[in-house]
Amino acid sequence: MSSLSGETAGGVGARRTRPAGRRREFNGRTALTMLAFLAPAFVFVLVFTYYPLLVGGQMAFRQWSLWDLTSTPFIGWGNFQTLMADPAFTRVMWNSVIWVVGSLVPQFIIGFLIALALRKKFRFRGLYQAVVFYPWAVSGFLIGILFRWMFNSEFGVVNDLLMRFGIVEAPVPWLADPDLALVAVIVANVWYGVTFFSIMILAALQSVPDELYEAAALDGAGRARMLFQITIPTIRTTLVLTVLLRVIWIFNFPDIIYAMTGGGPADQTQIATTWMIKFTQQGEYGLASALGFITMGVLVVFTGLYLALLTREKKS
Amino acid sequence: MRTKITTAVAAVSALALALTGCAGGGGTDGADGGEVTLQMVESLTNPTRTELLKTMLADFEEANPGIKVQLVSPPTEQADQKIQQMLQSGSGVDVLEVRDLTVGPFSNNGWLYDMAGDLESWDGYENLTDQAKSFTIDSEGKGYFVPYGFYGLSLFYRTDLVKEAGFDGAPKTWDELVEQATAIQDPAQNRYGYAFRGGANSIGQVMSILEAYNADNLDAENAYKVTSGDSIFSTPESQTAIDKYIELFTTGSPESSVAWGYAEMVQAFTNGSTAFLLQDPEVIGVVNDSSLTEDQWSVAPNLVGPTGKAAWPMATAGWGVAEASEHKEEAVKLVEWLSGDASTTFAKENSLVPILAEAADDEFFKTGPWAAYVEMTSAPDTYLSVVEPRGSSWWTEWSQRSESDLQQVLLGKMSTADLLSGWDQYWTEKWEA
């Protein structure tokens, strides 16, 4: 009877039929132990992530200037309005888009090609992989400083090579010309980011069973067909997730631009995050925080897409 | 099991307490009976300078038993921010490096101790140069820091290139600089006249020519104003000056120098690409260490304008005491000690214009590249000592705005007239606000 009533109780009955051993695993004492182990991480995240986020959040709606912290009145959307009214706003946002797309597409294509090349076994492959992946271990600021000198018009290696090979006749003022400066910082970022795609795509490629290619070869499929009908569909999720992750990172990555041009000349290479640094340097933390909010809004969209895809992938 | 949980909870609590900042104050009383430990934070950190400071602090400790000094040396890029955080938290710092750029915000927020009262009874005050005195006790009678030295522009030049171009000496006026730089400029040979500063902090060089052209009417207390009370950017002399400056870029400077900051300028001079460089004395050490030989370069006084005068605004930094310090007496004692004889050693080692009047008699400052500084110091009617409003709360904003505007002019996207009227409007509005 009790068994019957338990079945009719639906979910409750289902819990009652759970093995006794599992119930014992999750008693009050175990919960307390788990809590004790989780607490340090929780406190850490609370103090170092959410507290600054809250403080930053309230700064965005206050007149918060380093120069006078004795008065930080609430000004509502004032900081956001100041930003939108700034003549540089449109350029900064447009530059941010160019920066992301201009960096991402070449990084993806070149990274993919390198990953395909490294998938094949050849002598010294390990050494070659280490050399190719090395840039990822270097600080973005350092990369920026190196490229700043490489693109120096008078004594940079880029112009020297271009002139030696007869590609240009006179030194090109890479970082002084507003249009070329954006190209130069994107080139540096492409060089830096290719490695990430190579690593991620190579890892995914190594999970594709060789049998698929062998079967396709027996059926007479060419390389292109294998690429588009086996390789890409099999690692599609990794590709999409990697691209989304990079969009978030590149959008949020001021290091190279800051070190190479500082956002110049004449603000022509300024993106959202370098502009934020500029406001911080001016002591205008309210404006910087408001810009941080706008940046976060954009990133939340991509993060949402990323998490949705990740969840779908886990379910599948 | 209960014991383990208790231990875990205790550990978590301890961690939480640590993370939420139950740190002690800056200076501490030692356990050995009344010994005071001062926390001192530097800003313009570099390894050699830090070592020198440590040596100086050891001497101070020896001369002042009972006072220990703990030096904190954050990386230069983050140092001011770190100091700001320490001051804001109200602990962790007794003595700190205060710059002319940070004294405004730091004092405005009540983070700096006003030493004016203490300095009244300090013997060393009378030994300071007039310039050092004017910073030690400011125009409002406040004493937020004692300078340890000054940075002031002078002209680094290539003696050999000047001679090869047919000139008999370094240029003395801005006109002569443009003439010589243009004559030396030869891009085909990768040789350029002037190491132009178009990038970060370019305003110092721009102001140098504007102030030279307005020298007869300059407000010495605020060199961004002329004696009529208007901004310096509103005068006809400034229009002539800025046009001359753009001519220097167009005819006698590398095209890419529109984006040059400190590093590129100094590198261009030390590697032999450019013949002239307008910079602070700290570059003397860098040039000494470069491939240029002693007979290839020298330093000339700052360039004068059409009336034969130049302004000599100085950038500076020094030592101050935190308002939150619990050991102000000992902290002030340290500041005074650092501002005495020790300051001359510090100035020599860091290539700074010294703060002590007697240092002018020191052979070190009389010879070689330093002679130009003595010449300028000894001719105050030609090289006018002026103060720029570097302590203004909007200084960084101004510095970045002026850099961007100047680059627009250099790129041909803005006229010099629009540049000056924009700057005139900017400063007038700031002063009126």
Side-chain angles (χ1 to χ4, degrees), chain A residues 216-270:
Chain A
L218 286 175
D219 289 344
R223 283 186 176 182
R225 204 166 166 193
M226 285 187 198
L227 175 68
F228 288 104
Q229 293 197 337
I230 297 176
T231 309
I232 292 179
T234 312
I235 64 169
R236 190 189 65 228
T237 311
T238 304
L239 294 181
V240 175
L241 288 175
T242 311
V243 165
L244 278 174
L245 199 61
R246 280 302 285 160
V247 167
I248 295 167
W249 284 358
I250 295 173
F251 189 83
N252 214 6
F253 182 62
D255 310 27
I256 285 178
I257 294 183
Y258 186 73
M260 280 181 76
T261 65
D267 286 333
Q268 299 290 309
T269 58
Q270 209 77 267

Side-chain angles (χ1 to χ4, degrees), chain A residues 154-211:
Chain A
E154 284 70 36
F155 26 86
V157 68
V158 173
N159 272 345
D160 188 51
L161 287 174
L162 290 176
M163 289 173 75
R164 277 172 197 266
F165 287 108
I167 298 169
V168 296
E169 289 181 359
V172 180
W174 291 102
L175 302 179
D177 184 304
D179 300 321
L180 293 178
L182 202 54
V183 172
V185 294
I186 286 174
V187 167
N189 196 25
V190 168
W191 180 85
Y192 182 53
V194 155
T195 302
F196 176 77
F197 276 109
S198 306
I199 296 169
M200 296 300 286
I201 297 172
L202 180 60
L205 286 177
Q206 285 170 342
S207 69
V208 182
D210 288 338
E211 291 79 13

Side-chain angles (χ1 to χ4, degrees), chain A residues 130-178:
Chain A
V131 170
V132 169
F133 295 157
Y134 178 70
W136 195 245
V138 183
S139 136
F141 272 107
L142 183 58
I143 302 284
I145 291 167
L146 287 173
F147 270 85
R148 190 173 85 183
W149 286 108
M150 284 166 63
F151 277 109
N152 184 289
S153 174
E154 284 70 36
F155 26 86
V157 68
V158 173
N159 272 345
D160 188 51
L161 287 174
L162 290 176
M163 289 173 75
R164 277 172 197 266
F165 287 108
I167 298 169
V168 296
E169 289 181 359
V172 180
W174 291 102
L175 302 179
D177 184 304

Side-chain angles (χ1 to χ4, degrees), chain A residues 149 152 154-155, chain B residues 153-158 161 171 174 177-178 180-182 184-186 190-206 208 245 247-280 283 287 292 303 406 410:
Chain A
W149 286 108
N152 184 289
E154 284 70 36
F155 26 86
Chain B
L153 293 179
S154 55
L155 186 71
F156 290 73
Y157 71 101
R158 284 284 299 274
L161 295 182
W174 280 95
L177 174 65
V178 175
Q180 292 198 13
T182 306
I184 291 170
Q185 173 109 331
D186 185 2
N190 207 25
R191 178 173 294 168
Y192 301 90
Y194 179 68
F196 195 91
R197 185 166 200 161
N201 297 318
S202 55
I203 191 61
Q205 268 86 348
V206 181
S208 189
Y245 193 56
E247 186 187 339
L248 176 61
F249 170 75
T250 314
T251 64
S253 307
E255 188 183 356
S256 66
S257 59
V258 64
W260 281 11
Y262 176 85
E264 285 87 354
M265 293 163 65
V266 175
Q267 174 72 9
F269 184 77
T270 53
N271 76 8
S273 300
T274 60
F276 300 106
L277 168 73
L278 204 58
Q279 261 302 333
D280 294 336
V283 175
V287 187
L292 294 180
L303 299 150
L406 176 67
L410 299 175

